[in-house]
Amino acid sequence: MWIRIDADDLPGRTCPPAGTGPAEGPRYTNVHVAVQGRRPTDLLDPVPGDAASASWTLACTAVPRPGTPSGIDLRGAHIQGRPGDRFVYLSWGTVDPAGTFTMFRRAKLMLAAVPDDALTRAATSGVLTAHLALTDTRGEPVCARIVPPGITWSYGS
């Protein structure tokens, strides 16, 4: 099975540190976003923060999970958390001239918030699709727990 994450409305290549607002002052520069694996340095396809859109495709396995509404648990190299509380991290970071990514914030795409019908049908079709905007209401990179309506989950290609 696959999870496809489609994102748009990226915030740009610079942003202020959290809590400082858009005022002048220090800023993160050469901002990129990537799917994070189990280690913070395990990044899948970093995308510049000023790209028109971003898309990632993650391999995963749907396994039976009795006791959950859908009866399905997702596992994979880019899926984190305990059964019933799984998520995918989108990590925001700066990229220096040597290509080193330094994370400064991240978002959790909560798989536990996927509607049961979409998860059940995705397990059959082979594709679970997420769509979200990557800029928050302050014009900064989206972060924290992302659940509907901040993300839309569907199934199929």
Side-chain angles (χ1 to χ4, degrees):
M1 185 173 148
W2 302 96
I3 296 174
R4 191 177 75 226
I5 302 167
D6 293 327
D8 57 19
D9 190 28
L10 280 78
R13 288 264 188 130
T14 66
C15 79
T20 62
E24 302 226 2
R27 298 184 72 77
Y28 293 113
T29 59
N30 201 20
V31 171
H32 284 63
V33 61
V35 171
Q36 178 188 309
R38 291 207 169 80
R39 293 173 300 158
T41 57
D42 177 17
L43 301 170
L44 177 65
D45 300 331
V47 175
D50 61 352
S53 63
S55 186
W56 299 273
T57 302
L58 319 173
C60 69
T61 303
V63 297
R65 177 73 181 167
T68 62
S70 65
I72 298 169
D73 184 31
L74 298 178
R75 298 181 187 165
H78 295 93
I79 296 175
Q80 306 197 42
R82 294 186 168 113
D85 197 29
R86 303 265 195 222
F87 59 90
V88 173
Y89 271 133
L90 289 183
S91 290
W92 292 95
T94 60
V95 177
D96 69 17
T100 302
F101 183 97
T102 303
M103 183 185 68
F104 62 83
R105 135 181 357 162
R106 58 188 175 186
K108 277 185 174 181
L109 309 185
M110 302 305 299
L111 297 175
V114 175
D116 294 330
D117 181 57
L119 186 54
T120 302
R121 290 178 185 232
T124 301
S125 73
V127 180
L128 176 64
T129 302
H131 182 265
L132 73 156
L134 293 180
T135 300
D136 69 13
T137 58
R138 297 174 307 208
E140 297 178 17
V142 69
C143 62
R145 295 170 57 94
I146 310 299
V147 297
I151 189 168
T152 304
W153 293 99
S154 59
Y155 58 91
S157 54

